[in-house]
């Protein structure tokens, strides 16, 4: 009786390879668990480290911008599995006309033990004009 072969490989090899691939895919998925997180960063602990804005020129107030910011947590830092957050870095870009438009950010949280957490965000900013003529942006 002939042993079934798949493209020159024995069935037992294919089964072993399938189990191994399944193990690696499942273990990789477990290592990248997703969680919702919410915390506030106080303005006095936040610094814009770099930014560059360019006027687009199509309509007044339309700018594209890239930026980087750093924040520290001297009091009440976010805690992940018992480890305090040491600092937060945010890097991103915006495409705003008078503070209205879209933005995307990449977040890096550095924990006290050296571990790092990475996140990505997409958002939209909308501004309104207050009665005194100042603008208030939400997003």
């Amino acid at each position: 009786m002939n042993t079934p072969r798949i493209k020159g490989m024995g069935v037992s090899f294919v089964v072993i390879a399938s189990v191994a691939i399944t193990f690696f895919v499942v273990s990789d998925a477990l290592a990248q668990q997703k969680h919702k997180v919410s915390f506030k960063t106080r303005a006095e602990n936040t610094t814009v480290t770099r930014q560059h804005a360019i006027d687009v020129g199509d309509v007044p107030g339309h700018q594209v911008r890239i930026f980087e910011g750093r924040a520290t947590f001297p009091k009440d830092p976010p805690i992940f599995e018992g480890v305090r957050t040491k600092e937060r870095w945010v890097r991103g870009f915006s495409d705003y006309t008078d503070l209205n438009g879209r933005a995307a950010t990449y977040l890096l949280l550095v924990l006290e033990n050296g571990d790092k957490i990475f996140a990505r965000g997409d958002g939209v900013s909308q501004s309104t004009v207050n009665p005194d003529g100042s603008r208030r942006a939400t997003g």
Side-chain angles (χ1 to χ4, degrees):
M1 178 184 256
N2 290 337
T3 304
R5 294 182 104 34
I6 301 174
K7 294 189 181 187
M9 292 187 262
V11 172
S12 58
F13 176 77
V14 172
V15 170
I16 292 170
S18 297
V19 170
I21 289 170
T22 302
F23 172 77
F24 288 117
V25 169
V26 170
S27 65
D28 186 47
L30 292 175
Q32 295 185 14
Q33 295 176 9
K34 295 180 181 182
H35 301 277
K36 289 186 179 186
V37 176
S38 177
F39 60 89
K40 294 186 181 207
T41 306
R42 301 182 55 88
E44 62 265 20
N45 302 324
T46 304
T47 311
V48 175
T49 56
R50 295 186 274 186
Q51 69 174 325
H52 188 69
I54 300 171
D55 290 325
V56 174
D58 54 351
V59 295
H62 186 188
Q63 288 187 328
V64 291
R65 178 176 71 115
I66 56 172
F67 58 88
E68 175 185 74
R70 179 180 182 261
T72 58
F73 300 94
K75 291 191 279 185
D76 301 321
I79 297 174
F80 297 91
E81 294 189 7
V83 182
R84 297 166 55 102
T85 302
K86 181 174 144 184
E87 63 184 341
R88 181 213 73 194
W89 287 90
V90 62
R91 295 165 177 109
F93 70 88
S94 62
D95 181 356
Y96 290 165
T97 302
D98 293 329
L99 298 178
N100 294 291
R102 63 188 188 93
T105 57
Y106 296 89
L107 182 72
L108 166 63
L109 297 173
V110 181
L111 305 183
E112 285 185 338
N113 67 359
D115 285 353
K116 295 177 181 176
I117 297 173
F118 298 92
R120 183 183 64 163
D122 294 304
V124 175
S125 175
Q126 262 187 301
S127 69
T128 55
V129 179
N130 295 321
D132 65 0
S134 63
R135 286 195 170 273
R136 181 174 188 269
T138 57

